[in-house]
Amino acid sequence: MEQINRINILTNVNKIEKQVKDLEKEKENIQQSCTHKEVTINFDETRSIKRYCSDCKRELGYATKDEEADFLKPKG
């Protein structure tokens, strides 16, 4: 019984990993076809200030010094 549970867990994990891989590929295809007309400035996972497409969320590179200053200035 324990062996069957382990096999089921592994099968489910493998299935999920394949779905994630397929979704990442689909996301990549969508982002490649986007024209990236609107830009959003935000932090990345390492707290660097980057430029992102407002439509598809693709990372477009680092923000310029002016974009950084505008992003960091207090709002309101």
Side-chain angles (χ1 to χ4, degrees):
M1 187 67 170
E2 177 71 23
Q3 183 68 19
I4 292 172
N5 283 339
R6 290 183 68 216
I7 291 171
N8 286 338
I9 290 170
L10 181 59
T11 300
N12 287 335
V13 169
N14 286 338
K15 182 179 174 183
I16 291 168
E17 287 177 341
K18 182 181 181 336
Q19 289 172 329
V20 168
K21 183 179 177 182
D22 291 344
L23 289 170
E24 286 291 338
K25 184 66 175 169
E26 184 178 347
K27 176 183 168 186
E28 184 179 314
N29 289 338
I30 291 168
Q31 289 177 326
Q32 285 178 349
S33 67
C34 182
T35 58
H36 314 303
K37 291 182 180 181
E38 298 276 331
V39 173
T40 300
I41 307 299
N42 212 337
F43 291 109
D44 69 1
E45 61 278 349
T46 64
R47 305 302 286 167
S48 295
I49 302 174
K50 299 263 184 103
R51 304 172 90 230
Y52 294 91
C53 175
S54 298
D55 295 327
C56 73
K57 298 185 179 180
R58 185 175 193 168
E59 182 181 305
L60 302 174
Y62 289 97
T64 65
K65 293 292 181 193
D66 289 340
E67 289 170 331
E68 284 182 15
D70 188 52
F71 175 72
L72 294 172
K73 74 179 177 185
K75 308 291 189 253

